[in-house]
Amino acid sequence: MTAGLEKTIGQTALGFMQGTMTNIATSTINSVTYSSKKGFGFDGEAFGKSIQAGLVNSAVQATQTVTGGLINTGIEGLTGKALGDTSAMSNFVSGLAGQGVNAALGGDFTLNVLNLSDLTGGALNSGLLELRLGKKGMSMNIGTGGVNASLQNLVSVGQGIATYYDVNSKLANSRQEATGEFASQMRTLYSGTAEQRQAFDDALDNRLQLVKSGKTDFEDETEPGKRALAKTVDNGDGTRTMYIGTAAMEEGSRFGLNVVFGHEAYRNGKDDGEEGQRLETDRAVEGHISTANALMAGYGAGSVGTGFMLEAMEYNMAKASGNTEGMRKVLDRYDSSADYWKLTQDGGLAYDGEGWLKDENGMYINKDGSRSSSVRPDTIGASGVEGGLLNILGVNANDKTAVGLVQKLMTDAGIQHTDGETPADWQWRKSGRVNGETVNLTNVNMGKTIEFDAILAGGYGNSVNTAVFMNGFDKSTDAFAVGNTLAKMDEMNGTPDYVLNRYQTYASAKTKFYNSIQTLVGGATRISGLYGLEDESKTLYVNYGYRHYGIDIAAAEGTPVYAGISGVIDGDPVNHPREGNSVRIEYGYQFEGFTQTTGIIGEYLHLQSLPDVKKGDFVSANTQIEALGNTGSVSTGAHLHYDVFTKPGKSFSENVMANILGAGYMNGAMENKPPEGSSTKKVYDMTGFYEKYKEKYKK
């Protein structure tokens, strides 16, 4: 039983008891008689009629309260016209239920068929004409009683029924369980702006994932002290995640969390540059103020909490008076920065306003190679531009000479700083004085890159963070790894001798990665389902545009299934109704305790059982992840469905892909464009890979 239902029933029972007791007391008093001849007496017949009428009235009210309360649990959070129509429906249905009880207990069933709103265009709302149905037949008289059955109200009731069914049936059939927990907030998105309605649809289809964070709130590393109740992050695969802090969950007001959802609906989770972030933030703030206004209009000013109420009032007053400065004051309270050093695929470090190291997909890079959507204690870098670079390069911040060389590395890359008497006074971001003029350093420096060659020339080859080192030497080490030799020194293109040992160790790690690749399924196998096969019957591959994006490898049920290529488990294994037990692996390898992932993901479907692994686990190529099975509704026999894909908008190692599938790996690659709700991805033909490695078995 939901909390809302429990509250409705509890309040109804209490109201019924109170009404009954009041009725008994009033009836008793009214039934006492007095005359000069007989003195005091008691009129039993009057008492009985009064008690009966009171009980009927209490029963009618109780019925209306319970019926309305049950319906209203499915209305909670709606705003604007959606709230008006569904409220009309709730009042109409609960009124009919009450009139039904009244009629069953001997009274009349009363409808009010003409309302002042029909005559005044909605300006006035009051009943005019009662239609009574009872034991004495039908009668009509002037009056305001009964259920509002006027034409205008019936139109609104009809629209309310459609809205009620639409929003709640969609929530009931959502692909994401969390939408049920946030049903009120989802209804607010449903009835909000176009952007908010899109967020509603995205959440239903799991394109916007709703996650309760263990954090109280979120601090912007570039602006210490600024807090956010929620944070949206782009996942790089066509989906994004909204992390909701405990402070938002425990905000206390009835609809404060709904306002937070209204704000995050405008967030794409990406870094759109300073101007793009500012525009997005302005729209998000205006969006959540619009949400607050709609909720206050429907449920009362205090329903969104004091903070949101006062903010909305301040913004509304400024807007009404044309005070753009006052409006800007409200908008500027919200941070729009997205700042970090961005690691490029070739090992360069692109200025992006701060000191934390992120990959080209906007994810923070941690010391073990894992990625995260927010800064962790083990995230590479630091909160300041200069301090973060010192950390990335492995330079002691207390060594003034070394710090000076790093500062020169930055200025040589064209990165500007503020005026200052000493280098210790320099600032590298935000607005400051440069040659006596005010300059927005974040804008001026954005995208300027310290190239990997400059890092090597500066003597940082052995101290620079592993992530940077690996990206910088990715292509040349591939030349050695694939050739299985370290003799081609001309491939190093003049790389300094001082990094040779580290370079060779890295090349050896990559050689081991390629040499470890093996078969996916042990024992005798065959391809039973071809890559790219189109299903003309339109009964298979429903979620994938009726095309087979992968290969099916058939063997005896229970045959071992191996990773085939080493990597990291990409999300916890799942049991899908159609695809059965499945798991994904993002391929990669390890060097110096750092896991280098490639952006290339293998998918293994129809496994016999759910694999005993979890998100983030590293598996070697010969790790048995499960056994071949026949699970999932689309499986017609024991087999492994295997496909390899990359995510649009997310970088991947073209070197690794070419070395696994050959230089022509793009030939035959298909863009998977499934129905709305599934993520688009680029899928590659693994038939040649299967043939190459099907006999290579290492346990």
Side-chain angles (χ1 to χ4, degrees):
M1 186 181 294
T2 66
L5 180 57
E6 289 178 347
K7 183 178 180 181
T8 297
I9 293 175
Q11 290 177 338
T12 302
L14 180 60
F16 184 82
M17 291 173 62
Q18 289 176 335
T20 300
M21 296 303 294
T22 301
N23 177 41
I24 292 173
T26 303
S27 298
T28 301
I29 294 171
N30 292 336
S31 299
V32 174
T33 63
Y34 176 79
S35 69
S36 59
K37 293 182 178 180
K38 296 183 179 181
F40 286 98
F42 187 81
D43 189 339
E45 183 178 355
F47 176 78
K49 290 181 178 179
S50 180
I51 287 292
Q52 181 181 13
L55 289 175
V56 169
N57 183 58
S58 294
V60 169
Q61 290 181 348
T63 300
Q64 290 176 329
T65 302
V66 170
T67 305
L70 290 173
I71 295 173
N72 288 343
T73 58
I75 293 176
E76 181 83 355
L78 289 174
T79 62
K81 188 176 186 302
L83 175 60
D85 289 340
T86 51
S87 294
M89 175 205 69
S90 175
N91 293 333
F92 184 76
V93 173
S94 61
L96 290 180
Q99 289 298 318
V101 170
N102 189 51
L105 295 176
D108 291 338
F109 190 101
T110 306
L111 300 174
N112 204 293
V113 296
L114 183 62
N115 194 285
L116 273 174
S117 63
D118 294 327
L119 306 177
T120 64
L124 298 175
N125 182 21
S126 177
L128 290 176
L129 185 62
E130 294 178 359
L131 171 64
R132 292 181 174 273
L133 305 171
K135 293 180 179 180
K136 297 181 180 180
M138 181 179 72
S139 64
M140 298 187 73
N141 58 277
I142 302 298
T144 60
V147 180
N148 185 354
S150 65
L151 178 61
Q152 185 169 325
N153 191 60
L154 290 178
V155 171
S156 183
V157 168
Q159 293 172 337
I161 293 171
T163 297
Y164 186 91
Y165 174 79
D166 188 47
V167 64
N168 289 301
S169 63
K170 285 178 176 178
L171 286 172
N173 294 297
S174 172
R175 296 178 62 193
Q176 182 177 183
E177 186 176 349
T179 55
E181 182 176 356
F182 296 108
S184 172
Q185 292 73 35
M186 289 290 290
R187 293 190 193 99
T188 298
L189 295 180
Y190 173 91
S191 53
T193 64
E195 291 83 358
Q196 291 166 347
R197 181 59 180 267
Q198 183 61 56
F200 172 87
D201 293 336
D202 288 346
L204 293 181
D205 288 331
N206 216 23
R207 296 193 300 269
L208 173 61
Q209 296 153 12
L210 308 176
V211 177
K212 289 192 292 186
S213 171
K215 293 184 176 183
T216 301
D217 51 21
F218 303 90
E219 180 174 4
D220 170 40
E221 293 80 14
T222 69
E223 293 288 344
K226 282 195 175 182
R227 315 299 298 180
L229 295 173
K231 181 177 183 178
T232 299
V233 176
D234 179 69
N235 299 322
D237 60 355
T239 69
R240 63 192 193 280
T241 300
M242 183 199 301
Y243 294 96
I244 305 129
T246 56
M249 296 292 299
E250 301 168 2
E251 185 264 343
S253 68
R254 184 178 177 185
F255 293 117
L257 184 57
N258 299 48
V259 178
V260 174
F261 271 60
H263 180 101
E264 292 301 313
Y266 289 83
R267 295 296 197 182
N268 62 16
K270 299 178 181 178
D271 173 23
D272 297 316
E274 183 166 353
E275 182 60 23
Q277 290 296 116
R278 178 75 270 163
L279 291 173
E280 180 189 271
T281 300
D282 286 354
R283 293 177 66 242
V285 176
E286 290 171 338
H288 86 235
I289 290 175
S290 171
T291 300
N293 286 332
L295 289 164
M296 290 191 293
Y299 302 93
S303 63
V304 297
T306 304
F308 286 131
M309 177 184 69
L310 294 176
E311 177 189 64
M313 291 173 62
E314 179 184 357
Y315 187 83
N316 294 339
M317 290 175 63
K319 185 175 182 179
S321 63
N323 182 2
T324 55
E325 184 176 340
M327 295 167 62
R328 186 74 255 167
K329 180 180 178 182
V330 175
L331 297 175
D332 284 344
R333 291 179 189 144
Y334 291 82
D335 181 74
S336 62
S337 58
D339 304 326
Y340 44 84
W341 280 107
K342 182 184 290 183
L343 175 61
T344 62
Q345 281 191 298
D346 59 3
L349 293 171
Y351 175 99
D352 220 331
E354 247 295 337
W356 301 109
L357 188 64
K358 278 192 173 184
D359 62 20
E360 289 191 317
N361 304 306
M363 300 294 286
Y364 291 97
I365 304 176
N366 305 308
K367 292 179 180 178
D368 62 356
S370 62
R371 304 312 201 251
S372 58
S373 59
S374 58
V375 173
R376 303 190 330 194
D378 62 339
T379 298
I380 300 165
S383 60
V385 173
E386 184 179 304
L389 184 58
L390 292 173
N391 182 287
I392 294 167
L393 295 177
V395 174
N396 185 350
N398 295 319
D399 186 335
K400 292 184 179 180
T401 301
V403 170
L405 292 173
V406 171
Q407 291 173 331
K408 185 177 185 304
L409 189 67
M410 295 171 71
T411 57
D412 286 348
I415 300 172
Q416 297 184 34
H417 57 78
T418 58
D419 300 334
E421 293 184 6
T422 67
D425 300 324
W426 293 350
Q427 298 296 321
W428 303 90
R429 66 185 179 93
K430 296 195 173 181
S431 295
R433 305 290 287 180
V434 179
N435 297 323
E437 296 183 0
T438 300
V439 174
N440 187 318
L441 290 164
T442 305
N443 284 347
V444 169
N445 292 328
M446 190 63 66
K448 292 183 177 178
T449 302
I450 301 174
E451 301 294 350
F452 186 65
D453 286 345
I455 293 173
L456 291 180
Y460 305 106
N462 284 326
S463 63
V464 70
N465 185 269
T466 304
V468 180
F469 186 88
M470 294 176 80
N471 272 32
F473 284 122
D474 184 41
K475 291 183 179 179
S476 64
T477 51
D478 261 334
F480 290 113
V482 175
N484 198 22
T485 175
L486 298 178
K488 303 177 182 178
M489 295 306 297
D490 58 315
E491 294 287 345
M492 293 187 67
N493 296 322
T495 298
D497 291 342
Y498 77 91
V499 297
L500 182 59
N501 288 337
R502 191 182 189 192
Y503 178 92
Q504 290 178 331
T505 306
Y506 174 33
S508 296
K510 189 171 286 186
T511 300
K512 181 180 178 181
F513 166 64
Y514 286 125
N515 287 345
S516 69
I517 297 175
Q518 65 157 64
T519 187
L520 299 163
V521 182
T525 62
R526 63 182 176 85
I527 290 184
S528 59
L530 298 175
Y531 171 83
L533 181 68
E534 186 171 359
D535 173 38
E536 296 181 357
S537 70
K538 306 299 183 185
T539 59
L540 299 175
Y541 323 129
V542 175
N543 293 334
Y544 302 97
Y546 307 109
R547 186 177 290 276
H548 191 225
Y549 289 93
I551 57 173
D552 288 340
I553 303 173
E557 186 166 354
T559 301
V561 174
Y562 301 96
I565 307 173
S566 65
V568 176
I569 301 297
D570 182 49
D572 292 330
V574 297
N575 185 306
H576 190 277
R578 297 176 61 83
E579 299 167 353
N581 299 311
S582 60
V583 68
R584 291 177 173 181
I585 301 174
E586 182 173 358
Y587 297 133
Y589 50 94
Q590 295 178 318
F591 171 61
E592 295 182 342
F594 184 93
T595 301
Q596 179 78 315
T597 49
T598 61
I600 303 167
I601 299 173
E603 191 170 37
Y604 308 71
L605 310 182
H606 310 303
L607 301 170
Q608 191 173 56
S609 302
L610 205 62
D612 186 21
V613 291
K614 63 181 184 301
K615 179 180 179 180
D617 285 351
F618 184 84
V619 293
S620 58
N622 63 354
T623 297
Q624 181 178 342
I625 55 174
E626 237 306 304
L628 190 140
N630 184 27
T631 59
S633 62
V634 298
S635 180
T636 57
H639 75 285
L640 170 71
H641 169 97
Y642 177 64
D643 63 69
V644 165
F645 65 89
T646 54
K647 300 175 182 179
K650 183 176 181 180
S651 61
F652 67 94
S653 175
E654 298 178 13
N655 302 327
V656 172
M657 185 71 85
N659 288 325
I660 292 177
L661 297 183
Y665 69 86
M666 284 299 297
N667 298 333
M670 294 188 295
E671 191 80 16
N672 180 358
K673 295 182 178 179
E676 185 178 359
S678 301
S679 299
T680 301
K681 54 190 180 183
K682 180 81 75 175
V683 189
Y684 303 87
D685 187 355
M686 299 303 291
T687 306
F689 173 87
Y690 163 79
E691 295 293 345
K692 180 177 180 180
Y693 291 102
K694 67 178 181 180
E695 303 297 335
K696 187 178 180 183
Y697 173 61
K698 297 180 180 179
K699 186 175 180 180

